[in-house]
Amino acid sequence: MGQSSSTSRPRSSKSAAVTSPPTAAPDSQNPDDVTTDLDESIAGDDYSLKLPDECLACVFQSLSSGDRKRSSLVCRRWLRVEGQSRHRLSLNAKAELTNVIPKLFVRFDSITKLALKCDRRSVSISDDALILISLKCRNLTRLKLRACRELTDDGMSVFALNCKNLQKFSCGSCSFGAKGMNSLLENCGLLEELSVKRLRGITDGAATEIIGPGKAADSLRVVCLKDLYNGQCFGSLIIGAKNLKTLKLFRCSGDWDKVFDVITERNDGLVEVHLERLQVSDLGLSAISNCANLEILHLVKTPECTNTGLITIAEKCKLLRKLHIDGWKTNRISDEGLIAVATYCPNLQELVLIGVNPTHLSLLELATNCQNLERLALCGSESVGDTEISCIAAKCIALKKLCIKSCPVSDNGIEALASGCPNLVKLKVKKCRGVTSQGANWLRASRVSIAVNLDAIEPELPDASVSEQEIGGVDIPSVSGRQNRDVNFASGGTGRSNSFKMRLGSFSGVTCAFRRWSSFGGRSNNNLGRP
């Protein structure tokens, strides 16, 4: 069984091979389909015979997944060496996979990173398959499970006993519960990263077993929880992880203020915290402020967080480098909180404000005191106009990337950037009614070093199929009810109109014609909350 072919651009040597359940095992291929070493020598000189297997494996590791598959069919030796040198594998985890697991892992006998993914309409592998995999891959360091709904606590418990070297574990839309998770944490004492999303087995409210850190208490560095109805059953795990550095909580029900209070009493070493659609207030932020080494903070749609909590964070977390705030139009975070950030956090490099209304007062303080500010996004801010943009242009010397969306900015504000922000290289303007293509073109002509991307507001075509977040291949945070994403900056400077892109989208249905450029702040860890 080989990996599925790929027509996409070549990937790095670490690219995973996505494999569907085969109808025949990899070693049962028709001999006529695979050229033998003898056949090669008869046909001509095979210089690869002079290379040791180790060198040939290095060559395979530099190829994309599709090229590796095609190369493995050249001869039996290449098939053997390619399989033995592959360390990462992604399998289509349908129930049919169970029958081919023994022979599959005879060929791929060095796998350390494995992904098992099943689609929602298919029956996934069961405990038997997972146990069989654990027996064949005892050196696994990473496992990702997606939509494996037939796995139970029993299967996870046996797997954890057989694969004790696991360092990273991620699961989404699975059906096992607290018992299986506890077995994993108790047996895998080297586990560093844990990501759990929609774990269906822990929805029994107060009856749910508490999940503790087990032997992973000393090793856990990253915990990410998403869409958990009873996410607070992981409270003991978070509290007991002595060396936890990154904590990401997305849409987990329950009151988290008390949990944060206990967490920071026992572990004040948190460096990165992401909170999205979470019931947390200034009390929770006050507890988080005890982590003096905090560098990254995301507050997304947390309406109970106000200036008071943000000021507490700023006063105690002076190493803050990245701050993302989605105020959700609640107006509870304003100039007062941002001025505190400017006063106490001089190392700030990245600031994203969505649904927050800063004025030139706070922006002036930020620009003056935060000399390292390189990335700035202002989205859905009713108070950000030409005066505020002119202030940014005059004071933000280090600024490299600027995103402005749905703000009352005009061409006058955009033109101010022509003589300011000497290090600016990318400007994204979206849904700003006062900015025209003439203003954007003038800035392009004046500052050829700036890649200007303008999505002008024009009448929509009735048959347009390109969504707001697809146009131009750029993800811009949604200002109203939609889920936010990291702000990306496109550097296209062609000046094409929005209507042209929408027409193109209506014909193709995809946006691959618009190449995605570098994202706003890079990926600090899993995704703004995406494991």
Side-chain angles (χ1 to χ4, degrees):
M1 168 181 159
Q3 297 82 355
S4 63
S5 59
S6 173
T7 58
S8 61
R9 64 177 184 274
R11 300 178 181 175
S12 66
S13 60
K14 295 183 179 180
S15 297
V18 179
T19 309
S20 299
T23 56
D27 288 348
S28 63
Q29 300 181 48
N30 188 334
D32 295 334
D33 295 336
V34 181
T35 308
T36 65
D37 296 336
L38 180 61
D39 292 335
E40 286 286 345
S41 61
I42 294 175
D45 293 334
D46 181 5
Y47 296 105
S48 70
L49 293 175
K50 300 178 182 180
L51 291 176
D53 288 354
E54 294 78 9
C55 293
L56 188 59
C58 290
V59 174
F60 287 138
Q61 290 172 2
S62 66
L63 301 177
S64 67
S65 179
D67 288 340
R68 287 190 66 152
K69 175 195 171 182
R70 288 183 282 271
S71 298
S72 69
L73 299 178
V74 169
C75 63
R76 295 187 186 278
R77 181 192 177 214
W78 285 26
L79 182 72
R80 173 179 54 81
V81 173
E82 193 278 331
Q84 293 175 346
S85 63
R86 187 180 288 279
H87 301 295
R88 177 178 296 190
L89 195 64
S90 181
L91 300 176
N92 191 345
K94 295 182 180 180
E96 295 82 358
L97 178 66
T98 305
N99 298 327
V100 299
I101 286 177
K103 290 187 177 181
L104 176 67
F105 287 101
V106 167
R107 176 184 174 189
F108 300 109
D109 58 356
S110 301
I111 296 300
T112 59
K113 304 170 186 177
L114 179 64
L116 301 172
K117 304 177 182 180
C118 184
D119 62 82
R120 297 180 178 180
R121 294 171 293 180
S122 303
V123 178
S124 74
I125 58 172
S126 62
D127 291 343
D128 292 339
L130 186 64
I131 294 172
L132 191 56
I133 289 173
S134 70
L135 293 172
K136 298 291 184 179
C137 304
R138 290 184 178 271
N139 293 322
L140 273 184
T141 60
R142 299 184 185 182
L143 177 64
K144 178 184 291 186
L145 301 176
R146 289 292 180 272
C148 295
R149 293 177 296 277
E150 302 302 316
L151 298 181
T152 69
D153 288 333
D154 294 335
M156 286 300 302
S157 299
V158 177
F159 171 86
L161 287 171
N162 292 333
C163 298
K164 296 185 177 182
N165 294 323
L166 206 65
Q167 297 175 10
K168 296 183 180 181
F169 177 77
S170 172
C171 65
S173 299
C174 294
S175 297
F176 60 90
K179 180 182 176 181
M181 187 61 65
N182 276 325
S183 296
L184 185 78
L185 294 165
E186 181 60 36
N187 291 284
C188 301
L190 302 177
L191 192 67
E192 296 179 358
E193 296 186 16
L194 176 67
S195 178
V196 182
K197 180 178 181 180
R198 286 196 296 272
L199 190 58
R200 305 180 187 279
I202 59 168
T203 58
D204 297 330
T208 302
E209 179 183 348
I210 298 300
I211 298 174
K215 293 182 180 178
D218 294 328
S219 60
L220 268 176
R221 301 291 187 274
V222 179
V223 172
C224 178
L225 306 178
K226 291 185 177 182
D227 299 318
L228 296 179
Y229 175 76
N230 193 18
Q232 288 192 334
C233 68
F234 284 86
S236 296
L237 164 68
I238 301 171
I239 293 169
K242 303 174 183 177
N243 297 304
L244 189 65
K245 300 299 180 184
T246 299
L247 178 61
K248 300 181 179 181
L249 302 174
F250 302 84
R251 301 173 297 278
C252 295
S253 62
D255 186 354
W256 286 88
D257 283 340
K258 294 181 179 179
V259 178
F260 283 123
D261 194 32
V262 180
I263 291 173
T264 54
E265 281 183 1
R266 302 187 182 185
N267 178 14
D268 59 358
L270 285 173
V271 175
E272 182 174 357
V273 175
H274 291 231
L275 308 177
E276 179 175 333
R277 289 183 182 268
L278 211 67
Q279 186 178 338
V280 60
S281 68
D282 291 338
L283 294 176
L285 293 186
S286 178
I288 294 173
S289 70
N290 293 323
C291 302
N293 294 322
L294 189 69
E295 297 182 9
I296 301 173
L297 177 62
H298 288 208
L299 299 175
V300 179
K301 293 181 171 62
T302 53
E304 296 182 33
C305 295
T306 70
N307 284 325
T308 302
L310 184 58
I311 291 172
T312 305
I313 290 284
E315 290 177 345
K316 295 183 179 181
C317 304
K318 299 181 180 181
L319 300 180
L320 202 64
R321 295 186 297 107
K322 297 182 180 180
L323 177 62
H324 289 213
I325 300 176
D326 185 343
W328 215 7
K329 292 289 186 180
T330 58
N331 297 322
R332 305 194 72 179
I333 292 179
S334 58
D335 279 343
E336 183 181 357
L338 296 175
I339 289 175
V341 172
T343 302
Y344 298 104
C345 304
N347 297 319
L348 196 67
Q349 298 175 0
E350 177 176 308
L351 178 63
V352 176
L353 300 177
I354 306 169
V356 178
N357 294 320
T359 68
H360 68 281
L361 297 176
S362 58
L363 292 176
L364 179 60
E365 292 293 325
L366 287 164
T368 302
N369 298 335
C370 303
Q371 294 293 313
N372 297 321
L373 187 63
E374 296 181 351
R375 297 174 293 275
L376 176 63
L378 302 170
C379 305
S381 300
E382 299 173 356
S383 60
V384 175
D386 293 340
T387 301
E388 285 67 31
I389 300 301
S390 298
C391 175
I392 292 171
K395 297 293 183 178
C396 291
I397 299 176
L399 196 65
K400 295 180 179 179
K401 300 177 182 179
L402 175 62
C403 173
I404 309 170
K405 177 183 176 182
S406 299
C407 295
V409 178
S410 71
D411 286 343
N412 293 331
I414 299 302
E415 290 173 1
L417 296 170
S419 57
C421 297
N423 292 302
L424 191 65
V425 294
K426 293 182 181 179
L427 172 65
K428 170 70 178 180
V429 182
K430 186 177 178 69
K431 289 192 173 183
C432 295
R433 296 182 178 276
V435 180
T436 66
S437 57
Q438 289 79 11
N441 290 333
W442 183 89
L443 180 59
R444 291 189 186 101
S446 302
R447 290 277 298 275
V448 294
S449 61
I450 300 180
V452 181
N453 188 291
L454 170 67
D455 287 338
I457 296 181
E458 297 182 11
E460 295 184 359
L461 296 179
D463 60 343
S465 61
V466 181
S467 68
E468 172 188 330
Q469 299 204 2
E470 291 176 333
I471 295 177
V474 180
D475 295 333
I476 294 296
S478 175
V479 179
S480 56
R482 299 182 183 179
Q483 178 181 348
N484 291 314
R485 302 180 180 178
D486 287 342
V487 178
N488 293 338
F489 288 78
S491 58
T494 60
R496 293 180 179 180
S497 68
N498 186 35
S499 60
F500 172 79
K501 295 178 183 179
M502 296 175 72
R503 291 190 188 100
L504 183 59
S506 66
F507 285 108
S508 65
V510 295
T511 57
C512 59
F514 305 103
R515 182 159 61 96
R516 169 173 288 186
W517 291 76
S518 60
S519 64
F520 175 68
R523 177 163 275 206
S524 62
N525 211 324
N526 58 48
N527 93 65
L528 179 60
R530 302 188 178 177

